[in-house]
Amino acid sequence: MISKQAILPFFKLGDIVLRNVTAGFFIGEIKNQKTNYLAADVMRRFNWIFDKDRKTVYIKASKYFNEPYYEII
């Protein structure tokens, strides 16, 4: 499995827009990678609360919201 890295010009989550977000993604046939996960670097920037029916998620900026993004080397 091959993993590539890129910089997204923007990433929109609800009304919040993050700019120049680093991202990793897999290339190749879909059967080789059945699921993808949002990068932990983006996830840690928010506090996440899921409702009990898992139909709604509430997010709020965490203390890490303004931290620099993981640097692609």
Side-chain angles (χ1 to χ4, degrees):
M1 204 175 311
I2 298 171
S3 176
K4 295 230 175 186
Q5 296 181 341
I7 297 177
L8 301 173
F10 68 92
F11 179 81
K12 187 172 182 182
L13 185 61
D15 294 334
I16 301 167
V17 177
L18 302 172
R19 303 227 177 261
N20 299 318
V21 178
T22 57
F25 58 94
F26 296 101
I27 63 170
E29 294 184 40
I30 193 74
K31 67 182 179 181
N32 293 332
Q33 179 64 26
K34 295 184 182 344
T35 59
N36 277 311
Y37 299 95
L38 185 63
D41 188 38
V42 172
M43 289 188 68
R44 77 180 183 131
R45 294 171 191 282
F46 300 95
N47 295 318
W48 300 76
I49 300 173
F50 295 85
D51 75 350
K52 67 178 184 165
D53 297 324
R54 297 184 181 178
K55 293 182 180 177
T56 304
V57 63
Y58 302 92
I59 60 170
K60 180 180 175 183
S62 75
K63 65 182 181 180
Y64 302 107
F65 186 79
N66 292 315
E67 291 291 315
Y69 293 110
Y70 175 76
E71 204 171 309
I72 297 176
I73 298 173

